[in-house]
């Protein structure tokens, strides 16, 4: 059977030589190799993550409006079998689309007493769509008919490790946390005017929002925990029934460190929320802190995809010299993209780390850390040198990596404990 598969792969590659240009030919070969690897995975611990292969390039099945204005989409399948669709225009990169998918899947991951499958089912039943238009909000030429659903714009979706991310560029702030949370809140959890799958949680959110505002409306924007300097906006939100959604988004943004590097104000979300960090929330807004900490994990648990343009060593622990680490310290898992000889450093969590096709230096630091590779263990040369693990892919896919503070090497056929190598 294996020989048959290899023959088919070779035939596809040879056929591609006559059809594709050199660049496309190499891409096709790489894709074929990945398909064979998927079929050969024998390690039950091996994790396969969302990738470009899961993006659908023909939106015509979604309807005329999407076919006319959008170029690709990806779908999250709820437990009831129905899709939650994320559709993007042509200038939205694949990585931005995958970032949106990962953020949605993170919000819909079971945590604590909350079974998020009910939320996902409700969103799917409501036929909610996340639309990702080109450009920025208010600066895009896309018509209103193509904006039905929750919007997340190209210019407000920095990928992890990108220039916008590393430089904490608030002209291109990470609005994915907020906008995707709005969709989950509106169409899944439920709001006061439209009950959803988690009515008890909705009531707690609403109560915390009310607690964040002064009881006397004349003091809105002047006092309280949220909405500071924004009375007219608060009144507008109240009229449209969006107070609780915007409040929750402010708490979540600060909870995951998005506003900690912001230097123009002491608060989060442009200064309208008194709390900039998780510690601030716990002290200033205990009701908001309790809601978020019970509903969402303390760490971002999806596999973060580090932008291929990133150079140097990406840090997943807080370093005061690198302000972006206010955010990255909450990442649990990460993979390097592209082919640069970059580094990756974990944190105190039990990290799963993945290198790219270049030569990487990967340090798990604290915790029980795993480095995952693309092939079988026999495809790699593994050596122990001066307390380092040096591992080289003999098939030129994963490059040559130096590993420190890693406990497990994960291949598609088996896990190898580093302690067994000594």
């Amino acid at each position: 059977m294996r020989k048959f598969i290899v023959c088919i792969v070779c035939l596809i590659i040879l056929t591609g030589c006559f059809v594709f240009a050199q660049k496309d030919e190499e891409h096709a070969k790489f894709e074929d190799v990945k398909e064979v690897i998927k079929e050969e995975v024998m390690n039950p611990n091996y994790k396969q993550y969302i990738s470009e292969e899961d993006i659908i390039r023909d939106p015509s099945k979604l309807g005329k409006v999407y076919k006319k204005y959008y170029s690709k989409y990806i779908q999250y399948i709820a437990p009831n079998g129905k899709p939650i669709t994320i559709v993007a225009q042509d200038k939205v990169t694949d990585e931005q689309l995958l970032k949106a998918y990962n953020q949605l899947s993170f919000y819909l991951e079971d945590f604590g007493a909350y079974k998020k499958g009910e939320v996902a089912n409700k969103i799917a039943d409501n036929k909610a769509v996340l639309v990702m238009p080109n450009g920025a909000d208010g600066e895009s030429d896309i018509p209103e008919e193509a904006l039905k659903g929750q919007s997340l714009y190209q210019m407000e979706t920095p990928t992890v490790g990108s220039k916008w991310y590393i430089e904490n560029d608030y002209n291109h702030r990470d609005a994915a946390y907020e906008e995707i949370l709005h969709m989950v809140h509106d169409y899944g959890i439920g709001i006061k005017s439209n009950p959803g799958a988690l009515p008890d949680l909705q009531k707690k959110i609403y109560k915390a929002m009310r607690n964040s505002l002064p009881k006397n409306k004349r003091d809105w924007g002047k006092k309280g925990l949220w909405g500071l300097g924004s009375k007219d906006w608060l009144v507008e939100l109240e009229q449209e029934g969006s107070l609780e959604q915007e409040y929750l988004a402010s708490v979540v943004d600060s909870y995951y460190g998005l506003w900690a590097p912001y230097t123009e104000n002491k608060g989060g979300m442009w200064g309208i929320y008194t709390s900039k960090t998780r510690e601030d929330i716990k002290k200033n807004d205990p009701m908001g802190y309790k809601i978020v900490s019970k509903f969402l994990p303390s760490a971002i648990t999806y596999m973060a995809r580090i932008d291929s343009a990133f150079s140097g060593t990406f840090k997943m622990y807080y370093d005061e010299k690198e302000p972006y680490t206010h955010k990255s310290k909450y990442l649990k898992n990460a993979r390097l993209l592209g082919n640069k000889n970059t580094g990756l450093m974990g944190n105190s969590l039990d990290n799963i780390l993945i290198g790219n096709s270049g030569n990487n230096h990967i340090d798990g630091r604290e915790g029980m850390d795993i480095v995952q590779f693309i092939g079988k263990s026999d495809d790699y040369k593994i050596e122990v040198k001066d307390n380092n693990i040096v591992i080289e892919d003999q098939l030129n896919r994963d490059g040559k990596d130096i590993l420190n503070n890693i406990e497990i090497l994960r291949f598609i056929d088996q896990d190898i404990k580093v302690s067994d190598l000594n």
Side-chain angles (χ1 to χ4, degrees):
M1 178 64 181
R2 185 176 177 183
K3 290 182 179 179
F4 177 70
I5 293 173
V6 172
C7 289
I8 290 176
V9 172
C10 292
L11 180 60
I12 293 172
I13 293 173
L14 289 172
T15 303
C17 292
F18 295 98
V19 178
F20 301 108
Q22 181 68 27
K23 183 176 179 180
D24 289 336
E25 176 187 332
E26 293 302 318
H27 178 74
K29 289 180 182 178
F30 181 68
E31 292 299 314
D32 290 335
V33 169
K34 288 197 292 185
E35 288 302 320
V36 173
I37 288 172
K38 282 186 177 181
E39 291 183 15
E40 294 182 347
V41 170
M42 296 168 283
N43 182 355
N45 299 321
Y46 196 85
K47 307 293 184 183
Q48 298 192 60
Y49 301 97
I50 197 78
S51 72
E52 300 96 325
E53 297 173 29
D54 299 291
I55 297 174
I56 303 170
R57 309 290 173 177
D58 179 11
S60 60
K61 293 182 179 179
L62 301 179
K64 293 181 179 179
V65 170
Y66 296 111
K67 181 180 179 180
K68 183 176 181 180
Y69 294 103
Y70 295 89
S71 63
K72 55 192 172 185
Y73 68 98
I74 194 168
Q75 291 182 320
Y76 178 98
I77 305 302
N80 61 11
K82 297 179 181 179
I84 303 172
T85 301
I86 306 174
V87 62
Q89 286 198 289
D90 59 338
K91 292 182 182 179
V92 176
T93 67
D94 288 354
E95 288 304 321
Q96 288 177 309
L97 183 55
L98 294 174
K99 162 70 182 293
Y101 178 95
N102 278 330
Q103 191 66 44
L104 175 64
S105 65
F106 171 69
Y107 284 145
L108 296 179
E109 178 183 293
D110 286 347
F111 181 72
Y114 292 104
K115 304 303 179 185
K116 309 287 186 60
E118 299 174 13
V119 178
N121 288 341
K122 190 68 173 179
I123 296 171
D125 286 340
N126 283 325
K127 299 181 180 180
V129 176
L130 181 73
V131 295
M132 300 185 71
N134 296 337
D137 189 6
E139 299 177 8
S140 173
D141 58 2
I142 192 168
E144 285 296 322
E145 64 175 316
L147 287 176
K148 293 180 180 179
Q150 177 64 50
S151 60
L152 173 64
Y153 285 83
Q154 170 208 357
M155 302 301 282
E156 58 185 14
T157 313
T159 53
V160 179
S162 66
K163 179 179 173 64
W164 295 347
Y165 182 96
I166 297 299
E167 295 182 356
N168 300 298
D169 186 346
Y170 286 96
N171 289 321
H172 303 285
R173 78 176 186 90
D174 192 343
Y177 285 77
E178 176 186 0
E179 304 302 347
I180 297 173
L181 182 63
H182 285 338
M183 184 171 78
V184 172
H185 197 165
D186 286 345
Y187 297 97
I189 296 170
I191 56 178
K192 186 177 181 181
S193 60
N194 185 26
L198 299 178
D200 289 342
L201 176 61
Q202 181 274 316
K203 290 177 182 178
K204 290 177 181 178
I205 296 169
Y206 187 83
K207 185 177 180 180
M209 178 274 293
R210 278 312 207 185
N211 179 70
S212 73
L213 294 173
K215 292 182 179 179
N216 191 329
K217 192 177 292 188
R218 288 180 297 181
D219 292 328
W220 281 16
K222 299 177 183 178
K223 301 178 182 179
L225 307 176
W226 175 70
L228 299 176
S230 307
K231 182 175 181 179
D232 291 343
W233 180 64
L234 291 175
V235 172
E236 181 182 341
L237 292 178
E238 183 183 39
Q239 292 173 348
E240 65 183 35
S242 300
L243 279 171
E244 57 193 290
Q245 299 97 306
E246 296 293 342
Y247 162 76
L248 181 63
S250 295
V251 181
V252 168
D253 264 21
S254 291
Y255 190 78
Y256 290 113
L258 302 190
W259 289 96
Y262 188 62
T263 59
E264 296 181 25
N265 199 291
K266 294 182 180 180
M269 197 64 85
W270 312 114
I272 69 170
Y273 184 48
T274 55
S275 302
K276 182 182 286 190
T277 67
R278 186 173 294 187
E279 293 73 23
D280 291 341
I281 303 171
K282 191 173 184 178
K283 178 182 177 181
N284 301 332
D285 186 10
M287 289 181 69
Y289 180 86
K290 185 176 181 179
I291 287 169
V292 174
S293 62
K294 295 283 186 181
F295 180 68
L296 294 171
S298 60
I300 303 295
T301 52
Y302 64 74
M303 177 56 71
R305 299 168 62 86
I306 311 303
D307 197 284
S308 61
F310 176 80
S311 297
T313 298
F314 187 86
K315 298 176 180 179
M316 298 165 63
Y317 64 95
Y318 178 63
D319 181 348
E320 62 180 6
K321 297 179 181 179
E322 302 278 7
Y324 79 86
T325 59
H326 279 291
K327 301 171 289 187
S328 65
K329 71 180 181 180
Y330 292 119
L331 298 176
K332 184 177 182 181
N333 309 308
R335 71 182 306 162
L336 298 168
L337 301 177
N339 56 17
K340 289 187 176 182
N341 298 332
T342 47
L344 182 59
M345 299 186 75
N347 49 36
S348 62
L349 302 173
D350 297 339
N351 308 129
I352 299 177
L353 308 171
I354 304 176
N356 59 18
S357 61
N359 301 328
N360 309 127
H361 187 177
I362 301 177
D363 187 341
R365 289 173 59 88
E366 304 169 59
M368 290 294 295
D369 303 310
I370 298 167
V371 172
Q372 180 167 295
F373 298 91
I374 198 172
K376 295 180 180 178
S377 54
D378 289 344
D379 296 338
Y380 297 79
K381 179 182 179 182
I382 306 174
E383 296 180 287
V384 180
K385 292 184 178 180
D386 302 325
N387 296 320
N388 296 328
I389 304 298
V390 180
I391 180 165
E392 184 174 3
D393 185 357
Q394 304 298 293
L395 300 181
N396 298 317
R397 298 160 301 181
D398 284 321
K400 184 177 181 179
D401 299 331
I402 298 175
L403 312 181
N404 300 106
N405 300 308
I406 300 299
E407 283 67 42
I408 294 176
L409 308 179
R410 177 160 290 166
F411 305 93
I412 63 172
D413 60 329
Q414 65 171 327
D415 281 359
I416 295 178
K417 293 182 179 179
V418 171
S419 59
D420 291 341
L421 298 175
N422 298 323

mmCIF file of all heavy atoms in Angstrom, residues 76-97:
data_model
loop_
_atom_site.group_PDB
_atom_site.id
_atom_site.type_symbol
_atom_site.label_atom_id
_atom_site.label_comp_id
_atom_site.label_asym_id
_atom_site.label_seq_id
_atom_site.Cartn_x
_atom_site.Cartn_y
_atom_site.Cartn_z
ATOM 1 N N TYR A 76 -15.676 26.758 10.587
ATOM 2 C CA TYR A 76 -15.623 26.048 11.860
ATOM 3 C C TYR A 76 -16.908 25.228 11.949
ATOM 4 O O TYR A 76 -18.009 25.779 11.832
ATOM 5 C CB TYR A 76 -15.545 27.042 13.016
ATOM 6 C CG TYR A 76 -15.528 26.419 14.390
ATOM 7 C CD1 TYR A 76 -14.333 26.232 15.066
ATOM 8 C CD2 TYR A 76 -16.716 26.014 15.014
ATOM 9 C CE1 TYR A 76 -14.307 25.662 16.331
ATOM 10 C CE2 TYR A 76 -16.697 25.431 16.272
ATOM 11 C CZ TYR A 76 -15.483 25.260 16.927
ATOM 12 O OH TYR A 76 -15.473 24.688 18.174
ATOM 13 N N ILE A 77 -16.779 23.930 12.142
ATOM 14 C CA ILE A 77 -17.955 23.065 12.188
ATOM 15 C C ILE A 77 -18.395 22.868 13.633
ATOM 16 O O ILE A 77 -17.646 22.339 14.463
ATOM 17 C CB ILE A 77 -17.678 21.708 11.524
ATOM 18 C CG1 ILE A 77 -17.169 21.909 10.084
ATOM 19 C CG2 ILE A 77 -18.947 20.865 11.520
ATOM 20 C CD1 ILE A 77 -18.102 22.688 9.182
ATOM 21 N N ALA A 78 -19.602 23.316 13.946
ATOM 22 C CA ALA A 78 -20.156 23.185 15.288
ATOM 23 C C ALA A 78 -20.511 21.721 15.564
ATOM 24 O O ALA A 78 -20.625 20.905 14.635
ATOM 25 C CB ALA A 78 -21.400 24.068 15.418
ATOM 26 N N PRO A 79 -20.684 21.351 16.828
ATOM 27 C CA PRO A 79 -21.043 19.967 17.164
ATOM 28 C C PRO A 79 -22.303 19.471 16.471
ATOM 29 O O PRO A 79 -22.447 18.270 16.220
ATOM 30 C CB PRO A 79 -21.236 20.021 18.684
ATOM 31 C CG PRO A 79 -20.340 21.122 19.136
ATOM 32 C CD PRO A 79 -20.420 22.160 18.043
ATOM 33 N N ASN A 80 -23.215 20.386 16.128
ATOM 34 C CA ASN A 80 -24.440 19.958 15.438
ATOM 35 C C ASN A 80 -24.224 19.733 13.941
ATOM 36 O O ASN A 80 -25.172 19.452 13.207
ATOM 37 C CB ASN A 80 -25.570 20.975 15.665
ATOM 38 C CG ASN A 80 -25.248 22.365 15.124
ATOM 39 O OD1 ASN A 80 -24.270 22.553 14.400
ATOM 40 N ND2 ASN A 80 -26.065 23.346 15.490
ATOM 41 N N GLY A 81 -22.967 19.869 13.492
ATOM 42 C CA GLY A 81 -22.638 19.618 12.099
ATOM 43 C C GLY A 81 -22.798 20.810 11.170
ATOM 44 O O GLY A 81 -22.476 20.730 9.982
ATOM 45 N N LYS A 82 -23.272 21.922 11.709
ATOM 46 C CA LYS A 82 -23.475 23.107 10.889
ATOM 47 C C LYS A 82 -22.238 24.005 10.914
ATOM 48 O O LYS A 82 -21.523 24.051 11.919
ATOM 49 C CB LYS A 82 -24.696 23.886 11.387
ATOM 50 C CG LYS A 82 -26.010 23.108 11.280
ATOM 51 C CD LYS A 82 -27.168 23.929 11.818
ATOM 52 C CE LYS A 82 -28.472 23.152 11.748
ATOM 53 N NZ LYS A 82 -29.623 23.943 12.295
ATOM 54 N N PRO A 83 -21.977 24.750 9.830
ATOM 55 C CA PRO A 83 -20.767 25.566 9.765
ATOM 56 C C PRO A 83 -20.935 26.970 10.323
ATOM 57 O O PRO A 83 -22.012 27.556 10.283
ATOM 58 C CB PRO A 83 -20.490 25.622 8.263
ATOM 59 C CG PRO A 83 -21.863 25.619 7.651
ATOM 60 C CD PRO A 83 -22.695 24.710 8.535
ATOM 61 N N ILE A 84 -19.835 27.493 10.850
ATOM 62 C CA ILE A 84 -19.705 28.920 11.141
ATOM 63 C C ILE A 84 -18.649 29.415 10.160
ATOM 64 O O ILE A 84 -17.501 28.985 10.206
ATOM 65 C CB ILE A 84 -19.262 29.176 12.586
ATOM 66 C CG1 ILE A 84 -20.243 28.536 13.571
ATOM 67 C CG2 ILE A 84 -19.142 30.676 12.852
ATOM 68 C CD1 ILE A 84 -19.775 28.573 15.018
ATOM 69 N N THR A 85 -19.039 30.287 9.262
ATOM 70 C CA THR A 85 -18.191 30.659 8.133
ATOM 71 C C THR A 85 -17.431 31.954 8.382
ATOM 72 O O THR A 85 -17.975 32.923 8.905
ATOM 73 C CB THR A 85 -19.045 30.801 6.859
ATOM 74 O OG1 THR A 85 -19.702 29.557 6.604
ATOM 75 C CG2 THR A 85 -18.184 31.167 5.667
ATOM 76 N N ILE A 86 -16.160 31.943 7.990
ATOM 77 C CA ILE A 86 -15.327 33.148 7.983
ATOM 78 C C ILE A 86 -14.913 33.368 6.535
ATOM 79 O O ILE A 86 -14.241 32.522 5.938
ATOM 80 C CB ILE A 86 -14.073 32.982 8.857
ATOM 81 C CG1 ILE A 86 -14.461 32.541 10.270
ATOM 82 C CG2 ILE A 86 -13.282 34.284 8.898
ATOM 83 C CD1 ILE A 86 -13.271 32.220 11.157
ATOM 84 N N VAL A 87 -15.333 34.479 5.954
ATOM 85 C CA VAL A 87 -15.099 34.739 4.536
ATOM 86 C C VAL A 87 -14.242 35.996 4.389
ATOM 87 O O VAL A 87 -14.410 36.968 5.125
ATOM 88 C CB VAL A 87 -16.442 34.863 3.777
ATOM 89 C CG1 VAL A 87 -17.269 36.024 4.292
ATOM 90 C CG2 VAL A 87 -16.228 34.952 2.280
ATOM 91 N N ALA A 88 -13.287 35.977 3.438
ATOM 92 C CA ALA A 88 -12.310 37.062 3.333
ATOM 93 C C ALA A 88 -12.156 37.563 1.906
ATOM 94 O O ALA A 88 -12.300 36.808 0.944
ATOM 95 C CB ALA A 88 -10.960 36.595 3.868
ATOM 96 N N GLN A 89 -11.830 38.853 1.790
ATOM 97 C CA GLN A 89 -11.515 39.433 0.485
ATOM 98 C C GLN A 89 -10.065 39.124 0.103
ATOM 99 O O GLN A 89 -9.290 38.587 0.904
ATOM 100 C CB GLN A 89 -11.765 40.943 0.503
ATOM 101 C CG GLN A 89 -13.234 41.310 0.478
ATOM 102 C CD GLN A 89 -13.464 42.757 0.062
ATOM 103 O OE1 GLN A 89 -13.169 43.673 0.806
ATOM 104 N NE2 GLN A 89 -13.987 42.946 -1.146
ATOM 105 N N ASP A 90 -9.692 39.529 -1.105
ATOM 106 C CA ASP A 90 -8.424 39.089 -1.672
ATOM 107 C C ASP A 90 -7.181 39.649 -0.984
ATOM 108 O O ASP A 90 -6.131 39.012 -0.987
ATOM 109 C CB ASP A 90 -8.374 39.418 -3.175
ATOM 110 C CG ASP A 90 -8.536 40.906 -3.474
ATOM 111 O OD1 ASP A 90 -9.095 41.638 -2.630
ATOM 112 O OD2 ASP A 90 -8.112 41.337 -4.561
ATOM 113 N N LYS A 91 -7.247 40.835 -0.368
ATOM 114 C CA LYS A 91 -6.073 41.413 0.268
ATOM 115 C C LYS A 91 -5.859 40.901 1.688
ATOM 116 O O LYS A 91 -4.810 41.147 2.298
ATOM 117 C CB LYS A 91 -6.164 42.939 0.257
ATOM 118 C CG LYS A 91 -6.063 43.545 -1.135
ATOM 119 C CD LYS A 91 -6.118 45.062 -1.098
ATOM 120 C CE LYS A 91 -6.057 45.652 -2.496
ATOM 121 N NZ LYS A 91 -6.136 47.151 -2.483
ATOM 122 N N VAL A 92 -6.838 40.201 2.226
ATOM 123 C CA VAL A 92 -6.686 39.549 3.524
ATOM 124 C C VAL A 92 -5.806 38.323 3.306
ATOM 125 O O VAL A 92 -6.110 37.476 2.476
ATOM 126 C CB VAL A 92 -8.053 39.133 4.103
ATOM 127 C CG1 VAL A 92 -7.876 38.360 5.399
ATOM 128 C CG2 VAL A 92 -8.937 40.360 4.320
ATOM 129 N N THR A 93 -4.703 38.231 4.020
ATOM 130 C CA THR A 93 -3.782 37.117 3.804
ATOM 131 C C THR A 93 -4.337 35.822 4.382
ATOM 132 O O THR A 93 -5.225 35.827 5.240
ATOM 133 C CB THR A 93 -2.415 37.399 4.454
ATOM 134 O OG1 THR A 93 -2.575 37.412 5.887
ATOM 135 C CG2 THR A 93 -1.851 38.734 3.988
ATOM 136 N N ASP A 94 -3.782 34.723 3.918
ATOM 137 C CA ASP A 94 -4.172 33.424 4.465
ATOM 138 C C ASP A 94 -3.922 33.382 5.969
ATOM 139 O O ASP A 94 -4.724 32.826 6.730
ATOM 140 C CB ASP A 94 -3.390 32.300 3.789
ATOM 141 C CG ASP A 94 -3.837 32.046 2.360
ATOM 142 O OD1 ASP A 94 -4.833 32.667 1.918
ATOM 143 O OD2 ASP A 94 -3.191 31.216 1.681
ATOM 144 N N GLU A 95 -2.808 33.972 6.385
ATOM 145 C CA GLU A 95 -2.477 33.940 7.813
ATOM 146 C C GLU A 95 -3.467 34.756 8.642
ATOM 147 O O GLU A 95 -3.788 34.393 9.777
ATOM 148 C CB GLU A 95 -1.051 34.452 8.035
ATOM 149 C CG GLU A 95 0.025 33.479 7.569
ATOM 150 C CD GLU A 95 -0.101 32.099 8.203
ATOM 151 O OE1 GLU A 95 -0.432 32.018 9.406
ATOM 152 O OE2 GLU A 95 0.119 31.099 7.500
ATOM 153 N N GLN A 96 -3.972 35.855 8.096
ATOM 154 C CA GLN A 96 -4.994 36.619 8.806
ATOM 155 C C GLN A 96 -6.286 35.809 8.930
ATOM 156 O O GLN A 96 -6.953 35.842 9.969
ATOM 157 C CB GLN A 96 -5.256 37.941 8.087
ATOM 158 C CG GLN A 96 -4.128 38.952 8.231
ATOM 159 C CD GLN A 96 -4.385 40.229 7.448
ATOM 160 O OE1 GLN A 96 -4.699 40.195 6.257
ATOM 161 N NE2 GLN A 96 -4.258 41.375 8.109
ATOM 162 N N LEU A 97 -6.624 35.090 7.880
ATOM 163 C CA LEU A 97 -7.827 34.256 7.910
ATOM 164 C C LEU A 97 -7.669 33.134 8.928
ATOM 165 O O LEU A 97 -8.599 32.841 9.702
ATOM 166 C CB LEU A 97 -8.081 33.685 6.508
ATOM 167 C CG LEU A 97 -9.333 32.831 6.303
ATOM 168 C CD1 LEU A 97 -10.591 33.568 6.734
ATOM 169 C CD2 LEU A 97 -9.446 32.404 4.836
#
